Amino acid sequence: MSGLSGVTAIAAGGNYSLALKSDGTVLAWGRIWDGTDSNTPAVVSGLTGVIAMATGYLEPSGRSHALVLKGDGTVWAWGDNIYGQLGDGTTTPSTTPVQVSGLTDVTSIGAGGAHSLARKGDGTVWGWGYGGNGQLCNGNNTIYAPTQVLTGVSAIAAGGYHTLARKGDGTVWACGWNPSGQLGDGTLTNRYTPVQVSGLTDVTSIGAGGFHSLARKGDGTVWGWGDNSFGQTGDGNDRTSPAQVSGFSL
């Protein structure tokens, strides 16, 4: 790709992409929330000291938002804000980054279709944005500024309409929309408070797609569950509970 060098991390939304450079600046290209196209990477104005990025995309509307985490533990966001997913207490969209209200000591972030997550150094998880399917793990509430929703968490992942959290004991917990079994509790029932993903222990990392979920265990095996319309869980079938993805280990 032209114009890109010194890149240390990348993130892909539904219709746009981000690249983090070694100097802490961020480049973006594609279609941002208001439908504007950029065919080449352009610097996102006002961002320095960035160490992590997350991208959200709401199907089928095409609405999108992005989050970045700075080295000072603050979180910044831009894009669509119809459900408060920018976390600044408003529903006003922004083409430039705004600081998420009241968050410090953040160590990781996640962006779903229209909800956002941040994990702090003390293991608490804070959520904001659309929660109508339970993806904020605190009932069916939509909230416009960060609210604590989980404790004792070591990693987070945001899917299109669901959330995953790995706890320090290696178990995985989930909440949100569940039409394809992406919560992994053996049902197709939406969950508005966290439920444990069935049969998973010793998990070291997690990932969430639009309607599917993944986990890597300490032995290097990968497990998937949820929607498999395009083979994304690796075994040809939708799964309401985790199954090992065959043919590789990490």
Side-chain angles (χ1 to χ4, degrees), residues 74-159:
T74 61
V75 180
W76 297 69
W78 70 99
D80 184 61
N81 198 27
I82 188 172
Y83 297 109
Q85 56 264 53
L86 301 189
D88 64 347
T90 77
T91 56
T92 304
S94 180
T95 57
T96 57
V98 295
Q99 186 170 355
V100 177
S101 303
L103 280 183
T104 58
D105 191 35
V106 173
T107 60
S108 59
I109 52 176
H115 72 290
S116 303
L117 302 170
R119 178 194 177 273
K120 298 183 75 171
D122 61 3
T124 59
V125 175
W126 298 66
W128 61 98
Y130 183 66
N133 301 114
Q135 56 265 60
L136 294 179
C137 299
N138 71 334
N140 62 348
N141 302 309
T142 295
I143 50 182
Y144 302 98
T147 299
Q148 183 177 322
V149 295
L150 296 169
T151 61
V153 172
S154 56
I156 53 175

Side-chain angles (χ1 to χ4, degrees), residues 90-229:
T90 77
T91 56
T92 304
S94 180
T95 57
T96 57
V98 295
Q99 186 170 355
V100 177
S101 303
L103 280 183
T104 58
D105 191 35
V106 173
T107 60
S108 59
I109 52 176
H115 72 290
S116 303
L117 302 170
R119 178 194 177 273
K120 298 183 75 171
D122 61 3
T124 59
V125 175
W126 298 66
W128 61 98
Y130 183 66
N133 301 114
Q135 56 265 60
L136 294 179
C137 299
N138 71 334
N140 62 348
N141 302 309
T142 295
I143 50 182
Y144 302 98
T147 299
Q148 183 177 322
V149 295
L150 296 169
T151 61
V153 172
S154 56
I156 53 175
Y161 303 89
H162 71 292
T163 290
L164 301 180
R166 176 174 64 87
K167 293 201 169 185
D169 62 2
T171 60
V172 179
W173 297 70
C175 60
W177 204 27
N178 199 30
S180 302
Q182 58 262 50
L183 301 190
D185 66 342
T187 77
L188 297 175
T189 303
N190 294 355
R191 302 294 185 180
Y192 298 92
T193 57
V195 294
Q196 187 172 350
V197 177
S198 303
L200 277 185
T201 58
D202 190 33
V203 172
T204 58
S205 58
I206 51 177
F211 301 95
H212 73 288
S213 304
L214 298 169
R216 177 191 181 274
K217 299 184 71 171
D219 61 3
T221 58
V222 177
W223 297 68
W225 60 100
D227 179 51
N228 195 44
S229 300

Side-chain angles (χ1 to χ4, degrees), residues 27-38:
L27 298 171
W29 63 100
R31 173 162 290 188
I32 59 173
W33 71 273
D34 63 354
T36 304
D37 289 331
S38 175

